[in-house]
Amino acid sequence: MIAKIHVTLKNGILDPQGKTVKHALENLGIANIAEVRMAKLITLRFGDISREEARACCEEACKKLLANPVIEEYSIEFADNEEMAG
Amino acid sequence: MIAKIHVTLKNGILDPQGKTVKHALENLGIANIAEVRMAKLITLRFGDISREEARACCEEACKKLLANPVIEEYSIEFADNEEMAG
């Protein structure tokens, strides 16, 4: 069981890293991008547990460590047999 | 037009950040995780250009700046009307 957790900045929260990347891309000649936002993808691989257990585990991990609820939000997707890197 | 670029470490490449997160989660009492891997999600918003143009732009951005081809691989997904943060 693989869980993919996307941790993104909430709408309206300034993303200085994204702005820096946009600026760098412009300097490289890639100028038709309106906005860049950076986020994290955290892939968790579980052993042989149910999806409900995995979801509870992911929620706990996000609340305790992975996401800052003041400025970030997270979403969780599951895949059964997918590769970790994908 | 929104493009979501996932930049992940190639399979077999050591992920020290993921190992650190796994260890931190264990210290918080979340012990049933077999592996953690960290990756980047970069969301690009384009103006009114075609999907082909957007894809060419994303490929160029990945090759020139966003991904390190020695250790990372990337995948690109498109969404028409999705929110940046999602």
Side-chain angles (χ1 to χ4, degrees):
Chain A
M1 171 79 68
I2 301 280
K4 296 192 174 201
I5 303 175
H6 285 101
V7 179
T8 53
L9 285 171
K10 287 180 181 171
N11 275 333
I13 300 287
L14 192 71
D15 181 356
Q17 195 187 359
K19 278 203 191 305
T20 305
V21 168
K22 178 176 182 291
H23 200 72
L25 290 173
E26 284 167 357
N27 288 342
L28 290 168
I30 306 171
N32 48 1
I33 296 171
E35 190 183 2
V36 177
R37 283 182 84 81
M38 307 295 289
K40 283 175 286 189
L41 166 63
I42 302 148
T43 310
L44 304 183
R45 184 161 57 81
F46 294 98
D48 193 17
I49 63 174
S50 71
R51 186 163 294 204
E52 288 67 36
E53 288 172 300
R55 181 173 293 279
C57 199
C58 288
E59 294 276 352
E60 192 184 353
C62 286
K63 285 180 182 139
K64 286 188 174 170
L65 183 75
L66 301 177
N68 173 356
V70 179
I71 58 167
E72 291 174 327
E73 56 197 7
Y74 59 88
S75 63
I76 304 166
E77 283 169 46
F78 291 97
D80 284 325
N81 294 312
E82 215 167 331
E83 284 188 1
M84 285 294 284
Chain B
M1 171 78 70
I2 301 280
K4 297 191 175 198
I5 301 174
H6 285 101
V7 179
T8 53
L9 285 172
K10 287 180 182 172
N11 276 333
I13 301 287
L14 193 71
D15 182 357
Q17 194 187 0
K19 279 206 189 303
T20 306
V21 167
K22 177 174 183 291
H23 200 72
L25 289 172
E26 284 168 356
N27 288 342
L28 289 168
I30 306 171
N32 48 1
I33 296 172
E35 189 182 3
V36 177
R37 284 183 83 83
M38 308 295 289
K40 283 176 286 185
L41 166 63
I42 302 148
T43 310
L44 304 183
R45 184 161 58 79
F46 293 98
D48 192 18
I49 63 172
S50 71
R51 184 162 296 203
E52 288 67 35
E53 287 171 301
R55 180 172 294 279
C57 199
C58 288
E59 293 277 351
E60 193 183 353
C62 286
K63 284 180 183 144
K64 286 188 175 171
L65 183 74
L66 300 177
N68 174 355
V70 178
I71 58 168
E72 292 173 329
E73 57 197 5
Y74 60 87
S75 63
I76 304 166
E77 283 170 45
F78 290 96
D80 283 326
N81 294 309
E82 216 167 327
E83 284 188 0
M84 285 295 283

